[in-house]
Amino acid sequence: MDFFNGILSVHGVSFLMISVIAIAALGYILGRITIKGVSLGTAGVFIVALLYGCLFYKQLSDEINTDFVGNALKIVDNLGLILFVTAVGFIAGPNFFGNFKKNFKSYVLLAVIIILSGGITCAGCILVGRNFTDLTTEEFTAMLTGILSGALTSTPGFSAAKDAVANDHLQSIVSVGYAIAYIFGVIGVVLFVQIIPKMLKADMPKERELLGATAKKSEKAKGKSTFIEMDDFGIMPFALAAVIGIIVGSFKFGNFSLSTTGGCLLVSLIFGHFGHFGKLSVTPKDTTLKVFRELGLMFFLIGAGVSGGAKFVQYFDAVYFVYGMVMTIVPMILGFIFAKYVLKLSLLNNLGSITGGMTSTPALGTLISTAGTENVASAYAATYPVALISIVLVSQFLIMLFS
């Protein structure tokens, strides 16, 4: 782009960088707007990224190169996810295993309930909706399965659905469904974890106490002289955990893998739990983790939002958006009710588990701010792996059942 008769010229990678940074700035401004105590928070970045993708993706592609822009956004998306999930694992690690052992059955059952109810809702939508569409049964099944993975913001579920369909045409339809539903999948859970505490008039100090916010931390709180620190910020152990996590997540068993997200979460949980190996400290500073967590979430939302916005304009259909809303709301509400009245989980434990069961990375960031404690990350980390496996299996089962 040229301004002032060519005096100012912004092209290529510079244009892309300005776009990413501008989206972040405007997104945080939008996220600060509060209506009756409810705000989008970091998810405001997603809204701005989505609008940018709708309005300017073609111009961005023309300025650079369509393939390059697509790959660049994937890098931004994946880098953000790695930073966020690894930081969450380190934060949750000190209290995770004790909390998981105490509530193991509840976490597993809740994750299964959420994903299974989402799968049943999707199946119901397929059975009813296929009578009112011009798509073939295979195409409509691919569309609705993509919508399910978008409604639950599940990249592994999305990948599994694409692997399960027969050809490239059906894979593109899965992608369309995922893009359409992903928007409400993000915003719906973000708003839910803020609205529910207000509706219940929750006493947050009491809820934090019930969650165990005052639980003992690991040995990382002890003096620096006890262990060898590799650098002042703990970036080296953070990077090591991320590298090992990516490798672990890359192992594939049939169509299933932990993915980068699952691998980084698992390894960072282990690092965070032990805190050190021999005399070597493997615990980053709290400030480092908080910065990486927020920075990662921001990058993830920008990458996903801009890409989703481009597809959203091209393929949007109101009825598919409604299907996505239903597949987000039904599992979320059923899961919350089940956790509250059957499993008797405390409010923050309940909501933390919901964010994990819905595999909602942005909602966890919002919940941490709403709750005023990072201990909710333990509940997210406990339900997330079970939900990840469940959504992969459910997505593949739906394709096989209706195709």
Side-chain angles (χ1 to χ4, degrees):
M1 296 181 69
D2 294 316
F3 303 92
F4 311 117
N5 294 321
I7 295 175
L8 175 61
S9 181
V10 182
H11 294 280
V13 175
S14 296
F15 184 73
L16 179 63
M17 290 297 97
I18 288 175
S19 298
V20 169
I21 295 168
I23 289 169
L26 294 174
Y28 276 101
I29 292 172
L30 178 62
R32 287 286 294 172
I33 298 173
T34 303
I35 301 174
K36 293 185 177 180
V38 177
S39 64
L40 288 170
T42 311
V45 174
F46 180 73
I47 301 298
V48 174
L50 188 71
L51 290 173
Y52 183 94
C54 292
L55 300 173
F56 301 113
Y57 186 86
K58 186 178 185 303
Q59 184 177 356
L60 183 64
S61 298
D62 291 343
E63 281 288 337
I64 310 175
N65 174 280
T66 302
D67 291 335
F68 177 83
V69 171
N71 290 329
L73 290 173
K74 285 180 183 178
I75 292 172
V76 171
D77 181 330
N78 281 283
L79 177 61
L81 202 55
I82 290 166
L83 290 175
F84 180 85
V85 172
T86 305
V88 165
F90 273 109
I91 291 167
N95 298 319
F96 170 76
F97 290 99
N99 188 26
F100 186 70
K101 183 178 180 181
K102 181 180 178 182
N103 298 293
F104 171 74
K105 292 181 180 178
S106 297
Y107 289 139
V108 171
L109 192 56
L110 180 58
V112 171
I113 288 291
I114 289 172
I115 300 302
L116 193 59
S117 62
I120 292 172
T121 302
C122 181
C125 290
I126 293 173
L127 288 171
V128 174
R130 64 184 179 182
N131 299 310
F132 305 97
T133 179
D134 295 330
L135 299 178
T136 67
T137 299
E138 283 192 341
E139 289 174 334
F140 191 68
T141 299
M143 177 68 76
L144 270 289
T145 307
I147 288 174
L148 174 63
S149 60
L152 298 176
T153 62
S154 174
T155 303
F158 169 54
S159 299
K162 287 181 68 176
D163 287 341
V165 295
N167 54 53
D168 291 342
H169 171 62
L170 294 178
Q171 285 186 355
S172 66
I173 292 177
V174 171
S175 300
V176 171
Y178 177 80
I180 290 173
Y182 190 88
I183 298 154
F184 187 81
V186 169
I187 298 171
V189 191
V190 164
L191 295 179
F192 183 81
V193 298
Q194 294 181 83
I195 291 171
I196 289 297
K198 295 185 182 300
M199 287 178 58
L200 299 178
K201 297 180 179 178
D203 181 349
M204 279 302 180
K206 182 180 179 182
E207 294 297 338
R208 285 193 290 268
E209 187 177 338
L210 290 173
L211 184 64
T214 57
K216 290 182 179 180
K217 297 294 182 180
S218 70
E219 288 180 296
K220 71 177 182 178
K222 296 183 179 179
K224 290 184 179 179
S225 59
T226 307
F227 304 111
I228 300 171
E229 303 280 353
M230 295 302 295
D231 62 270
D232 291 338
F233 300 100
I235 293 176
M236 177 275 190
F238 187 97
L240 180 62
V243 168
I244 296 174
I246 293 169
I247 293 171
V248 170
S250 299
F251 283 99
K252 201 166 186 177
F253 305 93
N255 285 330
F256 174 76
S257 69
L258 279 175
S259 76
T260 298
T261 307
C264 288
L265 181 61
L266 176 63
V267 174
S268 58
L269 279 171
I270 294 171
F271 275 46
H273 173 70
F274 288 104
H276 65 95
F277 297 125
K279 288 290 183 179
L280 178 65
S281 171
V282 290
T283 305
K285 297 289 185 292
D286 287 340
T287 50
T288 300
L289 294 175
K290 289 177 182 178
V291 169
F292 279 172
R293 187 192 70 206
E294 187 65 23
L295 188 66
L297 182 57
M298 182 194 79
F299 280 142
F300 168 68
L301 292 175
I302 290 173
V306 174
S307 298
K311 293 179 182 177
F312 186 81
V313 169
Q314 186 177 358
Y315 297 107
F316 178 76
D317 189 319
V319 70
Y320 295 141
F321 189 76
V322 172
Y323 285 138
M325 290 179 63
V326 172
M327 290 182 214
T328 295
I329 292 171
V330 171
M332 187 165 56
I333 292 178
L334 286 179
F336 178 80
I337 292 172
F338 185 81
K340 179 176 174 63
Y341 295 105
V342 179
L343 301 178
K344 307 293 185 183
L345 295 181
S346 66
L347 177 62
L348 294 182
N349 208 350
N350 185 338
L351 293 176
S353 302
I354 293 295
T355 62
M358 297 290 291
T359 64
S360 180
T361 300
L364 174 61
T366 300
L367 181 59
I368 289 172
S369 298
T370 301
T373 173
E374 295 176 344
N375 280 27
V376 290
S378 293
Y380 167 91
T383 50
Y384 178 87
V386 182
L388 182 146
I389 295 169
S390 300
I391 186 61
V392 167
L393 296 176
V394 166
S395 297
Q396 293 176 332
F397 178 75
L398 287 171
I399 295 291
M400 290 187 292
L401 180 64
F402 292 103
S403 296

